[in-house]
Short mmCIF file of all heavy atoms in Angstrom, two decimals:
data_model
loop_
_atom_site.label_atom_id
_atom_site.label_comp_id
_atom_site.label_asym_id
_atom_site.label_seq_id
_atom_site.Cartn_x
_atom_site.Cartn_y
_atom_site.Cartn_z
N ILE A 322 -10.66 96.03 40.04
CA ILE A 322 -11.73 95.42 40.82
C ILE A 322 -11.83 96.07 42.20
O ILE A 322 -10.92 96.76 42.65
CB ILE A 322 -11.50 93.91 41.01
CG1 ILE A 322 -10.24 93.67 41.87
CG2 ILE A 322 -11.39 93.21 39.68
CD1 ILE A 322 -10.10 92.27 42.39
N LEU A 323 -12.95 95.80 42.84
CA LEU A 323 -13.11 96.12 44.26
C LEU A 323 -13.41 94.85 45.05
O LEU A 323 -13.60 94.91 46.26
CB LEU A 323 -14.26 97.12 44.46
CG LEU A 323 -14.03 98.50 43.86
CD1 LEU A 323 -15.30 99.33 43.95
CD2 LEU A 323 -12.88 99.21 44.56
N GLY A 324 -13.43 93.71 44.36
CA GLY A 324 -13.78 92.46 45.03
C GLY A 324 -15.23 92.42 45.45
O GLY A 324 -15.58 91.74 46.42
N THR A 325 -16.09 93.12 44.73
CA THR A 325 -17.50 93.17 45.08
C THR A 325 -18.13 91.79 44.94
O THR A 325 -18.03 91.16 43.89
CB THR A 325 -18.25 94.17 44.19
OG1 THR A 325 -17.60 95.45 44.28
CG2 THR A 325 -19.69 94.31 44.60
N SER A 326 -18.79 91.33 46.01
CA SER A 326 -19.39 90.00 45.98
C SER A 326 -20.64 89.98 46.85
O SER A 326 -20.78 90.78 47.78
CB SER A 326 -18.41 88.94 46.46
OG SER A 326 -17.99 89.21 47.79
N ILE A 327 -21.52 89.06 46.53
CA ILE A 327 -22.77 88.92 47.28
C ILE A 327 -23.14 87.45 47.32
O ILE A 327 -22.87 86.71 46.36
CB ILE A 327 -23.89 89.77 46.65
CG1 ILE A 327 -25.13 89.81 47.54
CG2 ILE A 327 -24.22 89.29 45.26
CD1 ILE A 327 -26.14 90.88 47.14
N MET A 328 -23.74 87.02 48.41
CA MET A 328 -24.08 85.61 48.57
C MET A 328 -25.38 85.46 49.34
O MET A 328 -25.58 86.11 50.37
CB MET A 328 -22.96 84.87 49.31
CG MET A 328 -23.21 83.37 49.45
SD MET A 328 -21.90 82.52 50.37
CE MET A 328 -22.23 83.13 52.02
N LYS A 329 -26.25 84.62 48.83
CA LYS A 329 -27.47 84.24 49.54
C LYS A 329 -27.19 82.98 50.35
O LYS A 329 -26.56 82.03 49.84
CB LYS A 329 -28.59 83.97 48.54
CG LYS A 329 -29.86 83.43 49.18
CD LYS A 329 -30.82 82.93 48.12
CE LYS A 329 -32.03 82.27 48.77
NZ LYS A 329 -31.67 81.08 49.59
N PHE A 330 -27.63 82.95 51.60
CA PHE A 330 -27.49 81.75 52.42
C PHE A 330 -28.77 81.59 53.23
O PHE A 330 -28.99 82.31 54.21
CB PHE A 330 -26.27 81.87 53.33
CG PHE A 330 -25.89 80.57 54.01
CD1 PHE A 330 -25.43 79.50 53.26
CD2 PHE A 330 -25.99 80.44 55.38
CE1 PHE A 330 -25.08 78.31 53.87
CE2 PHE A 330 -25.64 79.25 56.01
CZ PHE A 330 -25.18 78.18 55.25
N PHE A 331 -29.61 80.68 52.77
CA PHE A 331 -30.94 80.51 53.34
C PHE A 331 -31.68 81.84 53.30
O PHE A 331 -31.85 82.39 52.22
CB PHE A 331 -30.87 79.88 54.73
CG PHE A 331 -30.32 78.48 54.71
CD1 PHE A 331 -29.02 78.20 55.11
CD2 PHE A 331 -31.10 77.43 54.25
CE1 PHE A 331 -28.50 76.91 55.06
CE2 PHE A 331 -30.60 76.12 54.19
CZ PHE A 331 -29.30 75.88 54.59
N ASP A 332 -32.09 82.41 54.43
CA ASP A 332 -32.91 83.62 54.39
C ASP A 332 -32.10 84.90 54.60
O ASP A 332 -32.68 85.96 54.80
CB ASP A 332 -34.02 83.54 55.43
CG ASP A 332 -33.48 83.49 56.86
OD1 ASP A 332 -32.31 83.13 57.04
OD2 ASP A 332 -34.24 83.80 57.80
N VAL A 333 -30.78 84.82 54.56
CA VAL A 333 -29.97 86.03 54.71
C VAL A 333 -29.11 86.25 53.47
O VAL A 333 -28.83 85.32 52.71
CB VAL A 333 -29.06 86.00 55.96
CG1 VAL A 333 -29.88 85.89 57.22
CG2 VAL A 333 -28.03 84.89 55.86
N THR A 334 -28.72 87.49 53.28
CA THR A 334 -27.80 87.86 52.21
C THR A 334 -26.62 88.58 52.83
O THR A 334 -26.80 89.42 53.72
CB THR A 334 -28.50 88.79 51.20
OG1 THR A 334 -29.67 88.14 50.70
CG2 THR A 334 -27.57 89.12 50.04
N VAL A 335 -25.43 88.23 52.39
CA VAL A 335 -24.22 88.93 52.84
C VAL A 335 -23.51 89.47 51.61
O VAL A 335 -23.56 88.87 50.53
CB VAL A 335 -23.28 88.02 53.64
CG1 VAL A 335 -23.89 87.66 54.98
CG2 VAL A 335 -22.93 86.77 52.85
N ALA A 336 -22.88 90.62 51.76
CA ALA A 336 -22.21 91.24 50.62
C ALA A 336 -21.03 92.06 51.09
O ALA A 336 -20.95 92.47 52.26
CB ALA A 336 -23.18 92.12 49.83
#
Side-chain angles (χ1 to χ4, degrees):
I322 65 166
L323 295 172
T325 305
S326 59
I327 189 167
M328 183 181 72
K329 174 192 175 298
F330 191 66
F331 295 104
D332 64 339
V333 299
T334 303
V335 291

